[in-house]
Amino acid sequence: MFPGTEGRNPHEAYYLNIQRAREQVEKMENSGKRKLKVCVATCNRADYSKLAPIMFGMKANQDVFELEVVVLGSHLIDDYGNTFRMIEQDEFDIGSKLHTIVRGEDEAAMVESVGLALVKLPDVLQRLSPDVLIVHGDRFDALALATAAALMNIRILHLEGGEVSGTIDDSIRHAISKLAHYHACCTRSAERHLIAMCEDHSRILLAGCPSYDKLLTAHQRDDYADIIKAWLGDCVKEQDYIVALQHPVTTDIKNSIKIYELMLDALISFNKRTLILFPNIDAGSKEMVRVMRKKGIEQHPNFRAVKHVPFEQFIQLVAHAGCMIGNSSCGVREAGAFGTPVINLGTRQTGRETGENVLHVRDADTQNKIYHALELQFGKRYPGSKIYGDGNAVPRILKFLQSINLDEPLQKSFCFPAVKDCISQDIDHILETQSALAVDLGGTNLRVAIVSMVGKIVKKYTQSNPKTYEERIDLILHMCKEALADAVRLNCRVLGVGVSTGGRVNPKEGVVLHSTKLIQEWSSVDIRTPISNALHLPVWVDNDGNCAALAERKFGHGKGVENFVTIITGTGIGGGIVQHNELIHGSTFCAAELGHIMVSLDGPECMCGSRGCIEAYASGMALQREAKRLNDEDLLFTEGLSLKKEEQVSAIHLINAARLGNPKADAVLRTAGLALGVGIVNILHMVNPSMVILSGVLAAFYENPVQQIITQRALSSARDIQVLTSDLEEPALLGAASMVLDYATRRTY
């Protein structure tokens, strides 16, 4: 906003901003120059809201710009509100109206519409012969415009390139960016994306979103209550209604229609007055409208279904809503400026930058999930964010247009990053060993290994696990980079990185959600991102117990076994469950936390904070604790067993003492074996595997006690289950590697 416009009527302030923009255009540089002929092509109600502020700016600078307006797409369709009329109401002369939409609202109709536009556009562009064509966004209509202009040697300015939203729109948006000669983007992230796409940095303007120029003043109008009444009824108050706008996802039409139906059901149950806009014209919209009509939304007393709302009024409705729901970009862009709570459903806006006002429900597969999101968001208020603009985009864009040198060569050039010279392929390259980089984060040590496709550990690196997050991440990256350098020398082609770590892990996001006290500063930690960013490799992360199960499934006793359980016995106790050849993670990723099965109501305290867990009896830490207790009471060491100087008491001393006949040590180990055996019996009764695999340093010691407890205490139908000790020396590393190697061979993980 320009100085001096504060406190003015919003309409007056907006047009004063445009006038100031005119004053900022450098007239001296343009003396003697002809006007810049700019064609603005608008395809639908959404892109007009972004293009209109620029059109007003050029209209206010008629001595510098010659504006031509072309209208096509859904603007000219009655079912979508005949929105070309609002362009006429804004007193713009429409030079050409092109009917380019082939009805059908399916994938074929979209393709045919692009083809029809390409047939009609050449005549119009040839007649208008603009210096610059301004194209917005990521619609299929815009792709036709950019294609036609590029082939006809017309310079293209693309608005809102470089953004990421997660659907076919991304592909179309990036395709337009590659055809465009100039770019006006909204965010720093979008600017970086365009640079990464090899676009010339000197032709990229970080302008902000043009709609924010109007939006940041217009939403302060005093007549918002009248607008709410006009669209929703006299009894509806501010922040006591919902705005719903859901579009089809063209790459997943069936699922997007299901989400739309679930959204409508949730809104009906939520029982709040709702303004619902018809979806856009993408493939799948016809089915969405059928769903809406089947549910009687247009006649429902709580709903007002509309095809179009003028942008200025729509701003008011969004700004003062109790909540906005759907998958429109307006929810993640414009609504953030007001702090309006937003529920974003599905994947259509995945990747968009958002403010804290947006709650994502990407897997919107139940009505209850959407209803719960409404309960969380409705009526809240968040701080406004200006991620997408500061209100000064139009002056920047007008000045940018003025800077275009029409005498420059039209052929655009790309700024490719430096790459190494190609080397001819030789026999060593052909015979490279496909490998994975495996990382194991234990309570004591941090280990990295290069692992081949057949499970051979080519080289291993070991360091003590640091106590702080920063030191740990730095050491992981240092060790991985060292391993990658060695991999080249060892003729190994690393396909990715697998990480095995203690704690509860969300493998989908690569995040450690919570860790026990064994690993400090290791909760709510994103492991995937820093490793992937530093090494430029895909990264998989899972719990160490799950990794042990994956190792057995690929390289060990579990290979070819449909149902089995792996229990890893080390510093702690963990495990993994494989059912129907799939690893079980559970709804909150704590399935197979086998070490925390309670086997006593009042047992010793566990590292997890509870009591009586298997880990509190049978883990290496628990045995070490008992060994120290016996040593303090002078009850540990017997004839033939002694403690060397500087040596610490450990679980091994306890085991050796029991073997030499120490009754106290033997009693501790019997209790530990009983606890582990009872826990495994519980597992057998719950998931009924065909095999139990004991892994880790204590596995061989526990095999016989566990088998005895199963024989004594399990149901008769579960007593014949095989209990085996793993043959794998490094189950955590091999399991971490298997996540990478299974992906490389296209197996499902």
Side-chain angles (χ1 to χ4, degrees):
M1 190 185 300
F2 286 98
T5 60
E6 299 88 348
R8 293 179 179 269
N9 176 280
H11 279 295
E12 184 182 351
Y14 175 69
Y15 287 103
L16 186 57
N17 279 338
I18 296 297
Q19 186 62 34
R20 295 285 174 86
R22 178 180 183 179
E23 294 170 5
Q24 283 197 353
V25 175
E26 299 172 5
K27 295 181 180 179
M28 292 300 293
E29 293 183 5
N30 292 284
S31 58
K33 289 185 180 180
R34 67 176 178 83
K35 294 180 183 181
L36 186 69
K37 193 171 186 180
V38 180
C39 177
V40 176
T42 173
C43 310
N44 55 62
R45 65 193 182 197
D47 76 11
Y48 181 65
S49 68
K50 315 295 176 69
L51 294 167
I54 301 171
M55 294 162 66
F56 278 114
M58 287 190 282
K59 192 174 182 180
N61 288 275
Q62 293 185 35
D63 55 336
V64 179
F65 299 103
E66 181 182 346
L67 174 64
E68 295 286 353
V69 180
V70 174
V71 172
L72 64 158
S74 60
H75 272 309
L76 303 170
I77 298 179
D78 181 61
D79 286 350
Y80 294 89
N82 280 328
T83 49
F84 73 90
R85 293 195 183 102
M86 66 184 178
I87 303 172
E88 294 176 336
Q89 288 168 4
D90 287 337
E91 298 182 351
F92 289 111
D93 294 328
I94 299 175
S96 296
K97 296 177 184 175
L98 298 180
H99 292 270
T100 57
I101 297 298
V102 176
R103 300 306 298 273
E105 285 78 17
D106 58 13
E107 295 95 329
M110 290 170 63
V111 177
E112 290 168 355
S113 297
V114 171
L116 183 57
L118 286 171
V119 169
K120 293 187 174 185
L121 279 167
D123 287 343
V124 172
L125 294 177
Q126 194 167 38
R127 174 171 55 83
L128 297 178
S129 189
D131 298 315
V132 179
L133 173 72
I134 298 181
V135 176
H136 169 269
D138 49 32
R139 308 296 303 139
F140 58 86
D141 323 70
L143 179 60
L145 282 161
T147 302
L151 292 173
M152 296 182 70
N153 293 323
I154 297 170
R155 287 173 168 81
I156 302 165
L157 171 62
H158 184 208
L159 302 182
E160 298 186 6
E163 296 184 15
V164 178
S165 58
T167 66
I168 190 65
D169 294 351
D170 276 349
S171 300
I172 294 175
R173 186 186 309 111
H174 300 333
I176 296 171
S177 291
K178 300 316 294 179
L179 292 167
H181 304 83
Y182 306 94
H183 311 272
C185 59
C186 298
T187 68
R188 184 71 64 186
S189 178
E191 180 187 36
R192 287 197 295 266
H193 291 157
L194 287 168
I195 294 169
M197 290 163 62
C198 307
E199 294 299 310
D200 186 345
H201 198 175
S202 67
R203 293 189 171 196
I204 301 171
L205 171 69
L206 178 54
C209 182
S211 66
Y212 267 59
D213 290 29
K214 199 168 185 179
L215 175 148
L216 292 175
T217 54
H219 86 277
Q220 300 167 355
R221 285 168 50 170
D222 296 330
D223 62 345
Y224 70 86
D226 294 333
I227 293 171
I228 293 171
K229 288 180 181 178
W231 288 97
L232 288 155
D234 294 339
C235 300
V236 179
K237 305 297 182 185
E238 180 183 9
Q239 296 183 28
D240 196 35
Y241 63 91
I242 297 168
V243 175
L245 180 51
Q246 178 90 357
H247 300 303
V249 177
T250 55
T251 50
D252 192 5
I253 294 172
K254 186 176 179 181
N255 188 50
S256 64
I257 293 168
K258 178 186 175 185
I259 292 175
Y260 187 66
E261 186 169 7
L262 292 171
M263 179 190 77
L264 294 178
D265 289 338
L267 287 169
I268 291 168
S269 299
F270 199 67
N271 199 31
K272 286 290 181 182
R273 189 75 167 139
T274 301
L275 178 72
I276 184 165
L277 280 82
F278 278 65
N280 65 21
I281 201 167
D282 281 351
S285 59
K286 186 182 291 183
E287 288 82 356
M288 280 188 166
V289 173
R290 285 197 191 105
V291 169
M292 180 196 293
R293 287 173 175 159
K294 183 179 177 182
K295 292 185 178 293
I297 296 298
E298 290 169 294
Q299 292 77 40
H300 196 288
N302 269 353
F303 287 83
R304 173 80 191 279
V306 298
K307 294 175 181 177
H308 168 67
V309 180
F311 183 66
E312 288 186 9
Q313 297 182 37
F314 186 65
I315 289 172
Q316 305 296 320
L317 293 166
V318 171
H320 300 284
C323 177
M324 184 173 184
I325 187 170
N327 64 4
S328 169
S329 61
C330 176
V332 298
R333 296 171 66 98
E334 283 81 0
F338 319 127
T340 301
V342 172
I343 300 165
N344 180 51
L345 302 178
T347 60
R348 189 171 183 264
Q349 301 300 335
T350 298
R352 290 268 195 201
E353 297 169 77
T354 65
E356 61 183 288
N357 63 309
V358 179
L359 175 64
H360 294 280
V361 187
R362 292 187 178 92
D363 189 16
D365 54 355
T366 67
Q367 177 186 335
N368 286 342
K369 195 179 288 186
I370 299 172
Y371 187 91
H372 183 55
L374 285 165
E375 289 181 316
L376 290 173
Q377 288 286 78
F378 186 79
K380 276 189 177 181
R381 229 60 204 164
Y382 293 89
S385 67
K386 296 183 180 178
I387 296 172
Y388 287 94
D390 61 0
N392 294 304
V394 172
R396 294 186 185 112
I397 292 170
L398 296 183
K399 195 168 184 180
F400 187 57
L401 284 167
Q402 281 292 105
S403 72
I404 294 175
N405 182 358
L406 299 179
D407 294 326
E408 280 185 347
L410 183 66
Q411 176 60 50
K412 67 182 288 189
S413 58
F414 299 100
C415 301
F416 295 105
V419 293
K420 292 181 180 179
D421 292 336
C422 292
I423 54 174
S424 58
Q425 192 178 60
D426 58 28
I427 191 67
D428 287 336
H429 177 76
I430 296 169
L431 297 179
E432 273 185 332
T433 303
Q434 289 189 321
S435 308
L437 213 56
V439 179
D440 176 35
L441 283 146
T444 306
N445 292 323
L446 170 57
R447 300 180 304 156
V448 172
I450 304 169
V451 181
S452 74
M453 187 68 77
V454 294
K456 178 186 176 183
I457 294 179
V458 180
K459 189 166 183 180
K460 185 169 65 175
Y461 313 78
T462 304
Q463 297 277 0
S464 296
N465 195 346
K467 300 299 182 186
T468 67
Y469 165 78
E470 289 81 6
E471 291 176 327
R472 190 174 297 124
I473 290 294
D474 288 345
L475 182 57
I476 291 171
L477 295 178
H478 174 76
M479 293 173 73
C480 285
K481 288 176 182 177
E482 182 183 355
L484 285 173
D486 288 343
V488 176
R489 180 176 54 80
L490 295 167
N491 204 34
C492 294
R493 182 157 65 93
V494 175
L495 304 173
V497 182
V499 181
S500 165
T501 177
R504 185 162 61 92
V505 175
N506 178 344
K508 296 178 181 177
E509 303 293 336
V511 173
V512 179
L513 301 172
H514 174 74
S515 183
T516 63
K517 299 173 186 176
L518 293 175
I519 308 180
Q520 299 172 18
E521 296 186 19
W522 208 235
S523 295
S524 301
V525 172
D526 179 358
I527 308 178
R528 175 179 292 159
T529 301
I531 298 177
S532 182
N533 288 348
L535 305 183
H536 307 292
L537 287 169
V539 178
W540 288 262
V541 186
D542 212 330
N543 165 271
D544 51 5
N546 285 336
C547 284
L550 291 173
E552 294 296 336
R553 186 180 73 174
K554 187 169 183 66
F555 303 115
H557 293 308
K559 194 170 185 178
V561 180
E562 189 174 4
N563 303 295
F564 68 91
V565 173
T566 297
I567 296 170
I568 188 164
T569 58
T571 307
I573 300 285
I577 299 172
V578 173
Q579 285 281 85
H580 306 298
N581 297 313
E582 296 293 330
L583 187 66
I584 304 299
H585 284 101
S587 60
T588 57
F589 311 106
C590 65
E593 285 289 350
L594 308 179
H596 300 292
I597 294 175
M598 292 180 64
V599 291
S600 171
L601 296 178
D602 190 25
E605 186 176 357
C606 181
M607 295 291 284
C608 71
S610 185
R611 287 184 172 275
C613 299
I614 296 175
E615 189 169 291
Y617 286 103
S619 67
M621 290 281 288
L623 297 183
Q624 184 181 40
R625 180 195 69 223
E626 291 302 304
K628 287 180 178 178
R629 179 181 63 79
L630 291 177
N631 185 52
D632 292 343
E633 297 172 3
D634 293 326
L635 298 174
L636 178 62
F637 292 100
T638 58
E639 187 177 348
L641 181 66
S642 61
L643 191 67
K644 296 177 183 177
K645 190 177 181 180
E646 305 295 329
E647 187 179 9
Q648 289 188 340
V649 175
S650 68
I652 298 300
H653 294 111
L654 186 75
I655 293 170
N656 288 336
R659 285 173 177 164
L660 291 171
N662 184 325
K664 297 290 186 182
D666 186 63
V668 170
L669 292 178
R670 284 180 180 276
T671 302
L674 175 63
L676 182 60
V678 169
I680 291 175
V681 168
N682 290 335
I683 296 167
L684 299 183
H685 292 167
M686 281 189 289
V687 297
N688 192 28
S690 57
M691 181 184 295
V692 174
I693 304 169
L694 299 178
S695 182
V697 294
L698 298 172
F701 171 77
Y702 281 129
E703 182 177 353
N704 289 332
V706 166
Q707 190 69 72
Q708 290 173 10
I709 298 301
I710 291 174
T711 303
Q712 295 167 8
R713 302 200 176 201
L715 294 172
S716 58
S717 56
R719 287 175 190 163
D720 295 330
I721 300 300
Q722 277 186 293
V723 179
L724 302 174
T725 299
S726 175
D727 293 332
L728 304 177
E729 292 184 11
E730 298 288 357
L733 286 172
L734 291 176
S738 78
M739 292 188 284
V740 179
L741 299 175
D742 278 352
Y743 169 79
T745 55
R746 301 297 188 269
R747 293 183 183 173
T748 303
Y749 168 62

